[in-house]
Amino acid sequence: MTSREEILAKIKTNQPGARPLPADLTTVPGGMESIMQFKTVLSAIGGAIVEVANFEEITKYIQQEFKDKKRLISTLPELGSVTESGWENKDPHSYEDVDLAVIKAHFGVAENAALWITEDLMQQRVVPFICQQLAVVVNKVDIVATMHDAYNKIGDAEYGFGSFIAGPSKTADIEQSLVLGAHGPKTMTVFLLG
Amino acid sequence: MTVGLFIPCYIDQFYPNAAIATLTLLKKLGVDVVYPTKQTCCGQPMANSGFEHLTQGCNDLFIENFSEFDYVVSPSGSCVLHIKDHLHADKAEDKALGIRKKIYELTEFLTDVLKVEKLTASFPHKVGVHQSCHGQRGLMLAQMSELVEAPFSKPLHLLNMVQGLELINLKRPDECCGFGGTFCVAEEAVSVKMGKDRVADHLNGGAEYITAADMSCLMHMEGILRRQNSNVKVIHIAEILNAQEF
Amino acid sequence: MSTGAKDHAQLSDIFNKDEARVDWHDETLWFVRAKRDKAANSLPEWEALRETASQIKDNVLSNLHDYLLQFEANAEKNGIKVHWAANGEEHNKIVHSILKESGVNRIVKSKSMLTEECHLNDYLHKNDIEVIDTDLGERIVQLAEEPPSHIVLPCIHKKKEEIGDLFHKHLGTPEGASDPVFLTAAARDHLREKFITRKAAITGVNFAIAETGEFVVCTNEGNADMGAHLADVHIACMGIEKIVPLRKHLSVFLRILTRSATGQPITTYSSHFKKPRPGQTMHIVLVDNGRTTQLGREDFRNSLKCIRCAACMNTCPVYRRSGGHSYHTAIAGPIGSILAPNLDMKNYADLPFASTLCGSCSNVCPVKINIHEQLYKWRQVIVKEGYADPKKAMAMKAMDFTLSNPSIYKFAGKAGRWVLKHAPFTVNNKLNLWYKHREMPESPKQSFGEWYKQNNKND
């Protein structure tokens, strides 16, 4: 018998009688309150929020705040004037020196300020992790209240890779002292659009 | 209503005043109390050490002593919990089950059965309340800090009826004192450290007395207080609820 | 305990020699518990969430066979290669063979308690494969040549000065530098080089979804993602109990995992790996290592519901004052104490006794494992299976004899307070460990029984 067969056989013998799945937890609907919460939580976890009306404002913001940065990339054609062109589809290691990556999120979650981003929005999976600083654009109307709403929204969507990203990378492994910028981005800016 | 008074072995032997206060208090509240004189122990020390299979003698004796009463009441949350969870008898399982349903820790009996709303006690001192784990988390005498639920406390509800009593605040309202039965010697170092830390919390809060619904925790903390030559005393909650100090 | 090895009580005794350090350790972890409380209290539906999570996990255990098959089929469909390992050794061999096939001898690994449980690092090291742990805390204990002392905070037992010394020795940071920000930056540089140069990455798995064949890895540092997305080969190692039926169930678990663990609303990264990226190979190793046996133990099976949040450790008054290493097993604390005896009852016979049964662990557990009740039940099993100290067994028999015979009990009581000699706090202990740091209770003039007899006559 292979280990696979052995394990499965043992489970079949040992697993208890059927237990039903619980009903879904009901959630409260979002709204303006959700946006307030999203902003509050994002600040609390070390992220920065920038409310913008359009991509021109984002462009202007990047020009001002990241003007000393050498390598800026974005998956958003609207930001083409301030970011590198032709960076896509290279070896993932080649993004090691990216100072700022600007990408789009499908939606954000108010209760934890997490942003749902799948690989089609990252171009390369490593991009939001390897860059020194990360900025994410999300529409104000796309802020949902809780993770239950989030997964309702994701549904059975197809993706190869997706991640909830909430704030800059961080660690508190040394004496519980919170330090931003562990292995991933040291900062995270969220452009709240609309 | 006739109540069988269950006095755990170590209270019988070391803390008769807690037992006397329990008996007096119940009588004062008009309860017909009987103390079966042939009782010894609930068997918990053995069971918690992994020897539950050796407790049948204790169980049989317990059933013999207490099955006839309307209620069984005891001034020890821990012993009550043990009976509630583990009293069995091959010959008389129905009697065992009956006792498990009608056994009460003193403060829960006063609150839930007698529904006491007024006491004539007076105890003008600063008191720290130790939430004994088995009473609190096992019998749910009070809400637990880990849960997101509405607060309540049967011991505090009663202590608030005592004149002159001032409750002190603790930094950790329901951390274990480290007694833990045989744990107190089997894991001596951690047990002592837990006890010291619990006592320190009460001392920092300015307690003159530490009280609890379980004498075993108090015995542990008393051992530490006395080693530290502290003036702070331990006192069973029954003694406070029965006190007439002015 | 095996001969020569120290048990929890002995190791705790050593840990407690430095009381100031115990205070520091206790306060640090209590701080984490306090953050957990705050996070839990921010959700009015917290208890309903725990109940829901618990029920989902109950369902998983009752249907594990089919869910695993479903997961396997979907994962394979997604292009992930699925392996099955009956035990730790087989797991290690599978990982090694994948690396060998890929011609890789230097790898990065993000946090995986399963690989700790299987002692993968030792195994690979013996086979000339270099493993770099990339979680900061794990890297620190790796440099110190120690196991993690906590499943979420691996180096919580270390002071920043000690970490500074380690970094000075191994990473060349200036002597005496101990600022966490500085040390973290040094580790970032040190580990970036590893991420960039290593061709294979191992990660753990927090949740694996039967419905879709994807798996989720949660980190705050981003190390799992850095490793996986830069490597040609990604190996994810998971215990078979990590299965969750539906993708939407992640909402429940991602809401409670980090709130329970550190008080954060969610980890920085909750990454869903469904397919390898083009050109990459992705493997999943499904590991039993005693889990199917535990599944068959009715009293203990629901320990398999554990999502490894460590809330039970942070709240445990014993863990906080004895340190993770005192449990001498990969998973310390209350949950470790109910998992370990399943793997080796003899070696871990001490662990279920390393508790006061206070019950705080069960209350914080986000999947409602009755941890303290299982500790009690393990004690019964360990004694019955003959792993208890024989002297203790004799004393217990004597105790039962006395306590079930009222006349002997009374006689013993009179003859110098029987309880003083035989009660739990002094039982069978010539050295009287009670008295070491505690005064004995004072013997009153008469017992309550004697008083009652006297006063009842007067009635």
Side-chain angles (χ1 to χ4, degrees):
Chain A
M1 230 173 21
T2 63
S3 290
R4 177 182 181 276
E5 288 161 353
E6 207 178 294
I7 293 167
L8 287 168
K10 218 168 154 192
I11 293 173
K12 202 147 209 183
T13 316
N14 288 348
Q15 73 187 12
R19 298 284 295 269
L21 278 172
D24 291 349
L25 272 179
T26 45
T27 54
V28 284
M32 270 315 284
E33 213 186 350
S34 283
I35 289 168
M36 274 305 294
Q37 195 187 8
F38 180 86
K39 295 197 305 200
T40 312
V41 177
L42 184 71
S43 309
I45 60 174
I49 197 111
V50 182
E51 290 189 68
V52 288
N54 49 46
F55 277 95
E56 285 82 68
E57 286 185 32
I58 299 177
T59 303
K60 215 179 272 170
Y61 185 89
I62 291 172
Q63 276 170 335
Q64 275 168 17
E65 299 299 319
F66 297 96
K67 60 169 178 262
D68 55 333
K69 300 296 174 203
K70 282 197 206 84
R71 193 162 183 212
L72 280 60
I73 62 171
S74 178
T75 52
L76 294 153
E78 295 91 337
L79 301 174
S81 65
V82 283
T83 56
E84 193 177 306
S85 60
W87 62 272
E88 297 91 342
N89 303 316
K90 300 273 164 28
D91 180 300
H93 298 82
S94 69
Y95 306 118
E96 209 264 315
D97 58 349
V98 166
D99 291 302
L100 175 73
V102 191
I103 58 177
K104 180 120 187 6
H106 291 287
F107 61 85
V109 186
E111 69 163 317
N112 54 23
L115 294 148
W116 175 244
I117 306 165
T118 48
E119 72 180 325
D120 52 313
L121 300 179
M122 299 171 181
Q123 214 287 316
Q124 290 258 14
R125 291 182 188 184
V126 82
V127 164
F129 306 97
I130 202 169
C131 58
Q132 296 294 324
Q133 301 190 66
L134 176 67
V136 180
V137 181
V138 66
N139 293 320
K140 231 176 212 172
V141 293
D142 294 328
I143 302 297
V144 301
T146 70
M147 289 300 281
H148 307 295
D149 303 318
Y151 279 97
N152 282 338
K153 223 168 154 131
I154 294 172
D156 57 0
E158 188 50 48
Y159 49 76
F161 173 77
S163 190
F164 279 104
I165 300 183
S169 112
K170 58 176 79 69
T171 183
D173 275 350
I174 303 177
E175 288 198 8
Q176 277 294 290
S177 300
L178 181 68
V179 181
L180 300 183
H183 300 298
K186 294 171 180 169
T187 70
M188 187 196 195
T189 307
V190 175
F191 293 109
L192 203 52
L193 185 64
Chain B
M1 181 211 302
T2 312
V3 165
L5 182 63
F6 164 39
I7 299 299
C9 47
Y10 68 97
I11 295 183
D12 173 49
Q13 296 288 319
F14 295 123
Y15 298 99
N17 288 342
I20 294 167
T22 304
L23 178 67
T24 315
L25 181 63
L26 287 170
K27 280 187 169 170
K28 215 193 274 181
L29 293 164
V31 181
D32 180 16
V33 194
V34 176
Y35 172 72
T37 53
K38 285 184 174 161
Q39 60 181 290
T40 59
C41 169
C42 63
Q44 180 177 209
M46 284 171 279
N48 279 4
S49 304
F51 294 84
E52 192 182 325
H53 60 289
L54 290 183
T55 58
Q56 202 50 57
C58 280
N59 282 348
D60 293 342
L61 184 64
F62 199 92
I63 292 164
E64 196 183 307
N65 279 318
F66 289 104
S67 57
E68 298 312 316
F69 296 105
D70 298 317
Y71 293 99
V72 181
V73 175
S74 176
S76 166
S78 186
C79 303
V80 168
L81 179 67
H82 178 74
I83 294 291
K84 240 185 181 18
D85 285 352
H86 302 293
L87 186 71
H88 290 290
D90 296 336
K91 289 165 278 176
E93 188 61 18
D94 55 325
K95 282 187 177 172
L97 204 65
I99 291 177
R100 288 166 65 177
K101 281 183 184 152
K102 67 188 180 190
I103 189 165
Y104 283 81
E105 180 280 327
L106 176 66
T107 63
E108 87 181 317
F109 184 73
L110 297 182
T111 313
D112 297 350
V113 180
L114 297 185
K115 303 196 190 306
V116 169
E117 291 298 337
K118 220 180 105 195
L119 283 168
T120 52
S122 171
F123 192 72
H125 298 285
K126 287 185 168 178
V127 174
V129 176
H130 174 70
Q131 298 279 9
S132 296
C133 305
H134 288 176
Q136 188 202 18
R137 297 195 183 85
L139 298 173
M140 298 196 204
L141 299 182
Q143 191 51 273
M144 300 151 268
S145 63
E146 300 90 0
L147 302 185
V148 181
E149 299 279 11
F152 70 89
S153 168
K154 293 170 191 179
L156 287 185
H157 179 67
L158 294 166
L159 286 172
N160 282 329
M161 299 174 200
V162 177
Q163 258 183 40
L165 183 140
E166 189 187 331
L167 290 171
I168 61 128
N169 288 320
L170 295 171
K171 274 172 100 173
R172 301 185 190 179
D174 56 4
E175 177 148 294
C176 177
C177 72
F179 173 67
T182 44
F183 180 88
C184 72
V185 287
E187 288 267 0
E188 190 264 347
V190 179
S191 171
V192 165
K193 182 59 182 149
M194 285 169 69
K196 282 165 84 173
D197 290 354
R198 213 66 316 273
V199 162
D201 200 356
H202 286 273
L203 296 183
N204 291 335
E208 297 166 54
Y209 287 88
I210 302 175
T211 192
D214 231 311
M215 207 61 227
S216 53
C217 311
L218 293 176
M219 175 172 69
H220 176 54
M221 288 191 277
E222 183 188 43
I224 285 162
L225 284 166
R226 283 182 40 223
R227 179 60 58 89
Q228 295 174 349
N229 292 315
S230 169
N231 293 326
V232 173
K233 292 188 163 45
V234 300
I235 186 168
H236 191 275
I237 192 166
E239 294 175 77
I240 294 181
L241 300 179
N242 199 42
Q244 293 298 331
E245 278 188 36
F246 290 96
Chain C
M1 282 308 294
S2 56
T3 13
K6 289 187 170 64
D7 67 10
H8 182 273
Q10 291 166 315
L11 292 164
S12 306
D13 196 38
I14 297 166
F15 190 76
N16 273 270
K17 297 277 183 246
D18 184 350
E19 191 170 356
R21 195 181 181 99
V22 177
D23 288 336
W24 166 80
H25 191 262
D26 168 64
E27 286 292 345
T28 308
L29 287 154
W30 182 257
F31 173 62
V32 184
R33 154 82 204 268
K35 287 195 290 185
R36 172 261 170 214
D37 288 354
K38 206 177 156 207
N41 278 289
S42 74
L43 295 184
E45 69 271 39
W46 181 255
E47 299 302 333
L49 258 177
R50 286 177 70 219
E51 183 56 35
T52 305
S54 167
Q55 287 182 22
I56 295 170
K57 284 284 185 175
D58 281 335
N59 170 268
V60 168
L61 295 184
S62 76
N63 201 25
L64 191 57
H65 178 272
D66 292 356
Y67 285 148
L68 278 166
L69 285 179
Q70 193 190 356
F71 174 75
E72 180 191 41
N74 285 323
E76 298 267 5
K77 219 187 294 168
N78 295 336
I80 304 173
K81 176 97 180 70
V82 180
H83 310 258
W84 300 71
N87 50 44
E89 201 193 338
E90 193 179 7
H91 160 265
N92 295 345
K93 280 184 180 157
I94 290 168
V95 172
H96 183 217
S97 70
I98 297 170
L99 295 173
K100 226 156 97 182
E101 268 168 43
S102 322
V104 174
N105 60 6
R106 300 190 307 168
I107 64 164
V108 285
K109 178 163 80 71
S110 70
K111 192 147 63 196
S112 150
M113 288 319 296
L114 179 75
T115 61
E116 291 291 337
E117 178 189 315
C118 299
H119 304 289
L120 176 69
N121 284 18
D122 284 349
Y123 182 89
L124 291 180
H125 183 73
K126 279 184 194 128
N127 285 283
D128 297 319
I129 289 178
E130 179 215 61
V131 184
I132 301 285
D133 281 318
T134 56
D135 172 81
L136 175 58
E138 287 218 306
R139 184 66 183 140
I140 289 165
V141 291
Q142 189 179 35
L143 291 175
E145 295 179 28
E146 289 174 14
S149 69
H150 186 286
I151 60 173
V152 171
L153 316 161
C155 69
I156 197 68
H157 62 292
K158 286 220 169 298
K159 295 206 172 190
K160 58 180 193 249
E161 290 78 14
E162 294 162 338
I163 296 165
D165 289 346
L166 273 174
F167 277 26
H168 171 62
K169 190 174 153 200
H170 294 279
L171 311 184
T173 52
E175 197 168 358
S178 67
D179 172 43
V181 176
F182 177 82
L183 295 177
T184 302
R188 178 186 172 96
D189 290 344
H190 161 68
L191 289 166
R192 270 226 159 201
E193 189 268 327
K194 313 292 178 201
F195 288 126
I196 298 296
T197 52
R198 292 344 185 224
K199 304 276 182 229
I202 294 177
T203 68
V205 170
N206 290 92
F207 309 100
I209 315 304
E211 176 192 31
T212 58
E214 73 197 292
F215 60 93
V216 176
V217 183
C218 304
T219 74
N220 278 321
E221 298 183 6
N223 55 317
D225 287 286
M226 283 292 274
H229 304 319
L230 290 170
D232 301 333
V233 182
H234 176 186
I235 309 169
C237 305
M238 62 177 266
I240 51 171
E241 81 284 17
K242 295 277 176 183
I243 294 277
V244 169
L246 304 174
R247 185 188 266 170
K248 70 174 180 187
H249 292 142
L250 288 169
S251 63
V252 174
F253 292 105
L254 293 180
R255 289 188 89 192
I256 53 172
L257 174 64
T258 324
R259 285 186 174 98
S260 297
T262 61
Q264 292 171 262
I266 192 169
T267 44
T268 305
Y269 306 107
S270 309
S271 291
H272 300 46
F273 295 85
K274 191 154 182 272
K275 295 171 182 171
R277 66 170 202 279
Q280 186 191 41
T281 54
M282 197 179 271
H283 300 262
I284 288 175
V285 190
L286 295 167
V287 184
D288 179 351
N289 204 32
R291 285 161 176 78
T292 51
T293 307
Q294 189 87 319
L295 189 65
R297 298 183 197 269
E298 197 184 335
D299 285 341
F300 305 112
R301 66 165 58 110
N302 86 15
S303 61
L304 296 170
K305 289 157 75 175
C306 176
I307 57 170
R308 303 289 191 268
C309 72
C312 63
M313 301 183 187
N314 304 333
T315 200
C316 178
V318 176
Y319 175 89
R320 278 188 263 109
R321 292 176 184 82
S322 62
H325 291 154
S326 68
Y327 293 81
H328 57 92
T329 176
I331 298 175
I335 183 67
S337 300
I338 60 172
L339 291 172
N342 172 57
L343 286 172
D344 184 345
M345 218 180 286
K346 187 164 184 272
N347 202 27
Y348 300 119
D350 56 326
L351 295 185
F353 295 90
S355 162
T356 60
L357 306 180
C358 80
S360 188
C361 47
S362 305
N363 276 350
V364 294
C365 179
V367 290
K368 297 179 99 166
I369 302 171
N370 56 336
I371 302 174
H372 73 293
E373 289 170 13
Q374 291 192 36
L375 288 167
Y376 175 89
K377 286 175 178 168
W378 267 121
R379 293 179 185 187
Q380 314 306 324
V381 173
I382 283 162
V383 166
K384 274 199 185 138
E385 304 270 325
Y387 297 111
D389 182 354
K391 277 182 295 183
K392 204 173 183 180
M394 277 305 292
M396 286 298 163
K397 280 187 183 139
M399 199 160 161
D400 174 56
F401 177 69
T402 315
L403 294 175
S404 41
N405 293 279
S407 53
I408 294 174
Y409 168 79
K410 294 239 150 51
F411 174 75
K414 269 186 188 144
R417 299 287 163 229
W418 177 87
V419 181
L420 197 62
K421 288 207 182 98
H422 297 276
F425 44 97
T426 55
V427 72
N428 191 35
N429 214 311
K430 292 196 184 89
L431 295 172
N432 196 351
L433 283 167
W434 175 276
Y435 189 66
K436 218 169 135 192
H437 292 104
R438 291 163 288 212
E439 293 297 319
M440 303 298 290
E442 279 172 334
S443 282
K445 285 194 198 74
Q446 53 182 187
S447 70
F448 174 72
E450 288 158 359
W451 175 91
Y452 186 82
K453 219 170 160 188
Q454 214 172 61
N455 286 267
N456 243 26
K457 268 183 207 154
N458 300 346
D459 266 355

mmCIF file of all heavy atoms in Angstrom, chain B residues 123-128 164-168 205-210:
data_model
loop_
_atom_site.group_PDB
_atom_site.id
_atom_site.type_symbol
_atom_site.label_atom_id
_atom_site.label_comp_id
_atom_site.label_asym_id
_atom_site.label_seq_id
_atom_site.Cartn_x
_atom_site.Cartn_y
_atom_site.Cartn_z
ATOM 1 N N PHE B 123 -18.027 44.338 56.813
ATOM 2 C CA PHE B 123 -16.609 43.986 56.786
ATOM 3 C C PHE B 123 -15.820 45.187 56.249
ATOM 4 O O PHE B 123 -15.531 45.291 55.058
ATOM 5 C CB PHE B 123 -16.413 42.754 55.893
ATOM 6 C CG PHE B 123 -15.052 42.115 56.014
ATOM 7 C CD1 PHE B 123 -14.688 41.402 57.154
ATOM 8 C CD2 PHE B 123 -14.124 42.214 54.972
ATOM 9 C CE1 PHE B 123 -13.438 40.800 57.255
ATOM 10 C CE2 PHE B 123 -12.873 41.614 55.072
ATOM 11 C CZ PHE B 123 -12.532 40.908 56.208
ATOM 12 N N PRO B 124 -15.515 46.148 57.118
ATOM 13 C CA PRO B 124 -14.912 47.409 56.657
ATOM 14 C C PRO B 124 -13.430 47.280 56.316
ATOM 15 O O PRO B 124 -12.572 47.783 57.048
ATOM 16 C CB PRO B 124 -15.144 48.354 57.837
ATOM 17 C CG PRO B 124 -15.195 47.462 59.031
ATOM 18 C CD PRO B 124 -15.689 46.129 58.578
ATOM 19 N N HIS B 125 -13.137 46.624 55.218
ATOM 20 C CA HIS B 125 -11.738 46.431 54.815
ATOM 21 C C HIS B 125 -11.597 46.497 53.295
ATOM 22 O O HIS B 125 -12.561 46.339 52.572
ATOM 23 C CB HIS B 125 -11.237 45.059 55.281
ATOM 24 C CG HIS B 125 -11.249 44.895 56.761
ATOM 25 N ND1 HIS B 125 -10.316 45.487 57.582
ATOM 26 C CD2 HIS B 125 -12.098 44.206 57.570
ATOM 27 C CE1 HIS B 125 -10.590 45.162 58.841
ATOM 28 N NE2 HIS B 125 -11.668 44.394 58.864
ATOM 29 N N LYS B 126 -10.346 46.717 52.897
ATOM 30 C CA LYS B 126 -10.042 46.656 51.458
ATOM 31 C C LYS B 126 -9.794 45.198 51.084
ATOM 32 O O LYS B 126 -8.927 44.534 51.654
ATOM 33 C CB LYS B 126 -8.784 47.461 51.150
ATOM 34 C CG LYS B 126 -8.983 48.954 51.214
ATOM 35 C CD LYS B 126 -7.704 49.649 50.779
ATOM 36 C CE LYS B 126 -7.966 51.123 50.565
ATOM 37 N NZ LYS B 126 -6.747 51.835 50.186
ATOM 38 N N VAL B 127 -10.585 44.752 50.124
ATOM 39 C CA VAL B 127 -10.563 43.328 49.796
ATOM 40 C C VAL B 127 -10.250 43.110 48.309
ATOM 41 O O VAL B 127 -10.821 43.775 47.441
ATOM 42 C CB VAL B 127 -11.930 42.685 50.135
ATOM 43 C CG1 VAL B 127 -11.994 41.231 49.676
ATOM 44 C CG2 VAL B 127 -12.214 42.788 51.631
ATOM 45 N N GLY B 128 -9.334 42.201 48.067
ATOM 46 C CA GLY B 128 -9.065 41.766 46.693
ATOM 47 C C GLY B 128 -9.753 40.432 46.454
ATOM 48 O O GLY B 128 -9.668 39.540 47.294
ATOM 49 N N GLY B 164 -19.373 48.410 54.187
ATOM 50 C CA GLY B 164 -18.024 48.858 54.500
ATOM 51 C C GLY B 164 -16.938 48.223 53.663
ATOM 52 O O GLY B 164 -15.787 48.649 53.686
ATOM 53 N N LEU B 165 -17.291 47.207 52.906
ATOM 54 C CA LEU B 165 -16.271 46.495 52.136
ATOM 55 C C LEU B 165 -15.856 47.305 50.903
ATOM 56 O O LEU B 165 -16.697 47.830 50.184
ATOM 57 C CB LEU B 165 -16.818 45.127 51.710
ATOM 58 C CG LEU B 165 -15.868 44.202 50.962
ATOM 59 C CD1 LEU B 165 -16.068 42.767 51.439
ATOM 60 C CD2 LEU B 165 -16.072 44.285 49.463
ATOM 61 N N GLU B 166 -14.554 47.422 50.728
ATOM 62 C CA GLU B 166 -14.054 48.153 49.574
ATOM 63 C C GLU B 166 -13.266 47.200 48.677
ATOM 64 O O GLU B 166 -12.286 46.597 49.114
ATOM 65 C CB GLU B 166 -13.139 49.294 50.040
ATOM 66 C CG GLU B 166 -12.742 50.230 48.933
ATOM 67 C CD GLU B 166 -11.699 51.261 49.404
ATOM 68 O OE1 GLU B 166 -11.695 51.611 50.606
ATOM 69 O OE2 GLU B 166 -10.889 51.676 48.567
ATOM 70 N N LEU B 167 -13.729 47.056 47.426
ATOM 71 C CA LEU B 167 -13.045 46.143 46.499
ATOM 72 C C LEU B 167 -11.868 46.855 45.851
ATOM 73 O O LEU B 167 -11.977 48.006 45.455
ATOM 74 C CB LEU B 167 -14.012 45.673 45.415
ATOM 75 C CG LEU B 167 -15.116 44.720 45.870
ATOM 76 C CD1 LEU B 167 -16.129 44.514 44.744
ATOM 77 C CD2 LEU B 167 -14.541 43.382 46.313
ATOM 78 N N ILE B 168 -10.757 46.173 45.769
ATOM 79 C CA ILE B 168 -9.605 46.772 45.085
ATOM 80 C C ILE B 168 -9.560 46.268 43.634
ATOM 81 O O ILE B 168 -10.160 45.264 43.292
ATOM 82 C CB ILE B 168 -8.279 46.428 45.809
ATOM 83 C CG1 ILE B 168 -8.045 44.902 45.840
ATOM 84 C CG2 ILE B 168 -8.262 47.000 47.214
ATOM 85 C CD1 ILE B 168 -6.710 44.506 45.329
ATOM 86 N N GLY B 205 -2.566 46.518 44.648
ATOM 87 C CA GLY B 205 -3.886 47.130 44.658
ATOM 88 C C GLY B 205 -4.300 47.615 46.048
ATOM 89 O O GLY B 205 -5.344 48.223 46.205
ATOM 90 N N GLY B 206 -3.474 47.323 47.042
ATOM 91 C CA GLY B 206 -3.748 47.806 48.398
ATOM 92 C C GLY B 206 -4.685 46.920 49.202
ATOM 93 O O GLY B 206 -5.343 47.385 50.147
ATOM 94 N N ALA B 207 -4.731 45.643 48.876
ATOM 95 C CA ALA B 207 -5.643 44.749 49.599
ATOM 96 C C ALA B 207 -5.183 44.525 51.044
ATOM 97 O O ALA B 207 -3.991 44.404 51.311
ATOM 98 C CB ALA B 207 -5.723 43.403 48.882
ATOM 99 N N GLU B 208 -6.151 44.488 51.954
ATOM 100 C CA GLU B 208 -5.864 44.038 53.322
ATOM 101 C C GLU B 208 -6.192 42.556 53.444
ATOM 102 O O GLU B 208 -5.615 41.833 54.244
ATOM 103 C CB GLU B 208 -6.728 44.797 54.332
ATOM 104 C CG GLU B 208 -6.488 46.298 54.383
ATOM 105 C CD GLU B 208 -7.611 47.001 55.142
ATOM 106 O OE1 GLU B 208 -7.902 46.604 56.304
ATOM 107 O OE2 GLU B 208 -8.227 47.921 54.572
ATOM 108 N N TYR B 209 -7.169 42.148 52.648
ATOM 109 C CA TYR B 209 -7.572 40.744 52.625
ATOM 110 C C TYR B 209 -7.670 40.268 51.172
ATOM 111 O O TYR B 209 -8.050 41.037 50.290
ATOM 112 C CB TYR B 209 -8.955 40.556 53.262
ATOM 113 C CG TYR B 209 -8.956 40.687 54.763
ATOM 114 C CD1 TYR B 209 -9.121 41.927 55.369
ATOM 115 C CD2 TYR B 209 -8.808 39.560 55.577
ATOM 116 C CE1 TYR B 209 -9.117 42.053 56.756
ATOM 117 C CE2 TYR B 209 -8.809 39.681 56.966
ATOM 118 C CZ TYR B 209 -8.960 40.926 57.550
ATOM 119 O OH TYR B 209 -8.972 41.028 58.906
ATOM 120 N N ILE B 210 -7.327 39.007 50.976
ATOM 121 C CA ILE B 210 -7.618 38.375 49.685
ATOM 122 C C ILE B 210 -8.686 37.326 49.952
ATOM 123 O O ILE B 210 -8.546 36.495 50.855
ATOM 124 C CB ILE B 210 -6.372 37.692 49.084
ATOM 125 C CG1 ILE B 210 -5.241 38.709 48.913
ATOM 126 C CG2 ILE B 210 -6.714 37.038 47.739
ATOM 127 C CD1 ILE B 210 -3.914 38.099 48.441
#
